[in-house]
Amino acid sequence: MPEIAEGKKIAKVSAPDDANVFGKVGTSGPAFEKAVKGRKVVSVGSQGKYFWVTFDKPPHAVMHLGMTGWIHIKGDKTAYTNYYKKMKEGEADIWPPKYWKFHIETEGTPKVSAAFTDPRRFGRIRLVDCPGADIRSHSPLKENGPDPVVDVDIFTETYLRQKMQSRHVPVKALLLDQSHISGIGNWVADEVLYQSRLHPEQYCDTFNEGEMKKLYEAVRYVCQTAVDKLGDSDEFPDDWLFNYRWGKGSKGAASELPNGEKLAFITVGGRTSCYAPGRQKKTGQVVPSAKEEPMEEDDDGGKKPNGAAKKKRSAKANESDEEEEEKPSKKARGAKGSAKAKSTTAAKVKKEETPEPPAEAPAPSKKQRASQPAAEKPKVAPNKTKKTAVKKEEATGKTNAAAVEDTGRRRSLRLKG
């Protein structure tokens, strides 16, 4: 919120409750309204994927944009270029903007209006009750590692080398771990590894000094450049992998870079990784279970990952890759559920229609028959089938005594042959 300068007081706040954006971090829209209204802004800061606003008294607002969150300032285009390209005519002028989760207005002249939007509701807005100066010493900020742009005195080449040598995980997974480095997401990690020419699934403790130095320099370069360009991807360098890594499996998606380098996809650390195999070669031990997803032609001439490789990806990896893959819509999920229910019902009906043979009860022993009072023996109507069976056995000299004796129990009609 760069335009909300220090000393401005929040005059108006509106924050309808949202069980995801507010509720999943222990607060609510009304609680946010109560805490923020009338407060004076003291400072604004960021660490990795988090940013915050401290007020003249606690609690303070700590926010995470998630997948699709953004802060808008009325009368100023704060989002990246492509964000506005996707809007309908006149939509950018609507206030509060579509999908807003809260919007505020300051006192004084000129008044400043700001809003937090999030279509997919993966963002989080929480209240942290602590002294403003100590906010980075409290959750959720204290659990996160140094920011490569903000904490240049902490995130050094030595720091990164020590983290890499003390862990035995794929380097892509290390970069995504926010407890080690704040702010590196999926596409940033892919870009960093592409720029440093390192393979995403190679174990982080198997690189030499020169490779670790390249990785550190790439982290600083990519993160600083993205911040300098205010996250506007239209301003990113033309030779970045970012410009060609999207749309995996869709028609017209790039399968190679302008210089001819082929692209491939692989799942590492539960996320889909895009890389250039010819450039990012393995120089040490790699994860044995990871499978490459090469690109192949689809029926329409587009490129897509090889089907066999795609099937081997775990369902968990697919679901966690929110950045590039959408879950089926409710309608689609409902259709699948309906089809499954119909199939199950049909199977049950078929099973019920198939009669099972009656279970055979064991014949009582002589001792049990002798001890049973004659008066208690139930009278059973003559069974024609049994009589026929007896006559047949008598004719062949193989009378079955068990078939003649009537004890009131169910008996097998099968004959000894």
Side-chain angles (χ1 to χ4, degrees):
M1 298 181 187
E3 278 74 16
I4 302 182
E6 295 180 7
K8 282 190 175 288
K9 184 178 287 187
I10 308 297
K12 298 179 181 179
V13 186
S14 183
D17 199 18
D18 187 298
N20 284 0
V21 178
F22 293 104
K24 287 195 173 182
V25 285
T27 188
S28 66
F32 181 83
E33 289 182 1
K34 183 178 179 181
V36 173
K37 188 175 181 179
R39 298 275 65 84
K40 186 181 292 185
V41 176
V42 174
S43 67
V44 177
S46 67
Q47 177 186 340
K49 299 180 180 182
Y50 286 96
F51 67 100
W52 61 86
V53 179
T54 61
F55 304 109
D56 53 346
K57 62 180 292 187
H60 311 288
V62 177
M63 293 160 274
H64 191 297
L65 294 176
M67 292 292 305
T68 56
W70 206 261
I71 289 290
H72 300 266
I73 305 295
K74 188 176 182 180
D76 189 10
K77 290 187 175 181
T78 59
Y80 48 94
T81 305
N82 199 45
Y83 184 94
Y84 298 104
K85 288 180 181 178
K86 296 178 181 179
M87 286 186 170
K88 297 178 181 178
E89 186 177 353
E91 190 175 335
D93 300 323
I94 297 174
W95 193 266
K98 195 175 181 180
Y99 305 117
W100 64 275
K101 299 305 169 185
F102 76 73
H103 67 86
I104 62 176
E105 184 179 287
T106 66
E107 290 182 348
T109 303
K111 294 180 178 180
V112 177
S113 297
F116 182 107
T117 64
D118 188 7
R120 294 183 64 186
R121 302 167 66 214
F122 287 118
R124 299 291 179 259
I125 302 170
R126 71 186 78 203
L127 296 170
V128 177
D129 193 353
C130 71
D134 300 333
I135 196 164
R136 292 191 67 177
S137 300
H138 291 75
S139 294
L141 302 176
K142 72 175 184 178
E143 287 85 12
N144 287 259
D147 184 307
V149 176
V150 177
D151 303 313
V152 291
D153 56 331
I154 302 174
F155 182 75
T156 62
E157 185 179 336
T158 300
Y159 173 89
L160 181 60
R161 184 187 305 111
Q162 290 174 345
K163 290 296 181 183
M164 294 178 71
Q165 293 175 339
S166 64
R167 302 274 291 167
H168 186 65
V169 296
V171 65
K172 171 73 180 281
L174 179 80
L175 292 175
L176 292 175
D177 191 335
Q178 301 299 300
S179 67
H180 297 310
I181 310 171
S182 286
I184 296 183
N186 199 38
W187 77 260
V188 175
D190 283 353
E191 192 65 55
V192 165
L193 293 171
Y194 174 78
Q195 296 296 332
S196 57
R197 296 174 176 267
L198 303 183
H199 197 284
E201 61 176 346
Q202 184 170 330
Y203 284 112
C204 61
D205 57 345
T206 63
F207 293 103
N208 60 39
E209 293 287 328
E211 290 170 326
M212 287 188 281
K213 179 180 178 63
K214 286 183 179 179
L215 182 63
Y216 169 75
E217 292 173 346
V219 171
R220 287 281 300 117
Y221 162 64
V222 173
C223 292
Q224 188 65 60
T225 302
V227 170
D228 291 344
K229 300 299 182 181
L230 301 179
D232 191 341
S233 58
D234 282 23
E235 299 296 324
F236 290 171
D238 293 336
D239 63 345
W240 273 23
L241 175 68
F242 178 93
N243 300 307
Y244 310 97
R245 71 183 298 280
W246 308 99
K248 182 192 73 170
S250 61
K251 183 178 179 180
S255 60
E256 62 180 37
L257 299 173
N259 60 9
E261 291 179 344
K262 300 293 183 182
L263 296 181
F265 293 89
I266 195 168
T267 301
V268 183
R271 304 299 299 274
T272 295
S273 300
C274 179
Y275 75 113
R279 174 189 177 96
Q280 298 167 253
K281 298 183 181 296
K282 304 170 185 176
T283 61
Q285 185 183 5
V286 299
V287 183
S289 59
K291 299 295 182 182
E292 184 178 303
E293 299 176 17
M295 307 295 283
E296 64 176 11
E297 292 278 347
D298 63 17
D299 294 337
D300 297 319
K303 300 289 183 178
K304 64 179 181 179
N306 179 274
K310 189 174 182 180
K311 287 180 181 178
K312 292 182 180 180
R313 291 182 59 189
S314 67
K316 184 177 181 181
N318 283 333
E319 290 175 4
S320 66
D321 197 8
E322 295 167 344
E323 189 167 318
E324 297 172 348
E325 297 177 1
E326 294 278 348
K327 290 184 179 179
S329 64
K330 289 184 178 179
K331 185 175 181 181
R333 294 198 299 269
K336 289 182 180 179
S338 177
K340 185 176 180 181
K342 288 181 180 179
S343 176
T344 305
T345 304
K348 287 183 178 179
V349 171
K350 185 175 181 180
K351 185 176 181 181
E352 290 173 359
E353 289 176 351
T354 306
E356 295 184 1
E360 294 185 24
S365 64
K366 291 182 178 180
K367 187 176 181 181
Q368 289 174 329
R369 291 198 300 271
S371 61
Q372 185 177 8
E376 293 181 1
K377 290 184 179 180
K379 295 181 180 180
V380 182
N383 190 312
K384 293 183 179 180
T385 305
K386 288 185 179 181
K387 289 182 178 180
T388 304
V390 171
K391 289 181 179 180
K392 187 174 181 180
E393 287 190 351
E394 288 177 348
T396 57
K398 297 180 180 179
T399 304
N400 188 339
V404 176
E405 186 177 3
D406 188 0
T407 62
R409 294 177 179 268
R410 294 179 62 188
R411 297 183 179 282
S412 171
L413 302 183
R414 290 178 291 184
L415 304 177
K416 293 183 179 180

